[in-house]
Amino acid sequence: MTRSEFDDIRAFLADEATHAGDLLRVARTLIDDLEHARMREAVLRTYYLRLLTAARATVAADAVGSQDPLDFLRHELAERGQLPVDDETVQRILSDARAAAALLACLEQSTPVTPRPRGMRLRRCVGTGRPLPH
C-alpha cells in the first residue's frame, strides 16, 4: 500500500461524515490486504531460502571439487524459469549485475539521510489508489 493510500484512509477515518458500516468495510479490506501481504512474504521467504540453500550447496560442491558444482543453482533457477537461454539474455543479466553492484557501492558511500522535519506536511495524491466507500 502506498503512502498516499494510507493518507487517504487516515483522512477517511477522521471525517465525521464517515458511517460505521463504511469503517467496517475499510477494516475488512485492510485485514484482507494484510493477510495477502503476509502470504506473499511467506512465499518470497521460501524462494529466498531455496535460492540461498542452492547457492551454499554450489559453493560447498565447488570446495570439494565436484564435477558440476553449479548443478544445485542451475536446478533452482530452472524451476523458476530464470535460466538464461541465449547470449542476449546472458549479456543483459551480466549488465544488470554490474549496474546493481555499482549502485550498491554508491549507496554504501553516500552520506546519511537527514531526518525529515516533524509537523504539518502537505498531502499529495499520486497515482491510482483504492476507492474508499462514501
Side-chain angles (χ1 to χ4, degrees):
M1 189 175 294
T2 66
R3 179 73 179 194
S4 177
E5 287 175 310
F6 279 115
D7 291 342
D8 291 346
I9 291 169
R10 281 189 187 98
F12 181 74
L13 295 175
D15 186 358
E16 291 180 15
T18 302
H19 300 291
D22 295 335
L23 294 173
L24 186 59
R25 260 193 310 275
V26 169
R28 286 181 178 145
T29 300
L30 291 174
I31 288 172
D32 289 345
D33 287 354
L34 180 61
E35 184 177 0
H36 178 74
R38 290 182 62 97
M39 289 300 296
R40 193 172 71 210
E41 179 189 8
V43 168
L44 289 175
R45 283 179 183 260
T46 301
Y47 289 161
Y48 170 78
L49 288 174
R50 288 181 62 161
L51 186 58
L52 181 62
T53 301
R56 293 183 71 211
T58 297
V59 171
D62 184 52
V64 296
S66 175
Q67 294 262 335
D68 188 10
L70 292 177
D71 192 44
F72 299 103
L73 199 51
R74 193 176 292 117
H75 173 75
E76 187 60 32
L77 292 174
E79 279 198 14
R80 305 279 164 245
Q82 296 296 317
L83 278 177
V85 293
D86 57 22
D87 189 53
E88 180 181 333
T89 306
V90 168
Q91 294 308 316
R92 182 180 45 79
I93 290 170
L94 292 174
S95 176
D96 289 349
R98 285 186 205 103
L103 286 172
L104 286 173
C106 287
L107 286 174
E108 290 171 355
Q109 295 174 358
S110 68
T111 58
V113 177
T114 58
R116 291 182 7 192
R118 294 280 182 187
M120 287 288 276
R121 71 179 191 88
L122 296 175
R123 293 190 182 220
R124 60 190 161 116
C125 294
V126 180
T128 61
R130 174 188 335 254
L132 296 173
H134 287 83

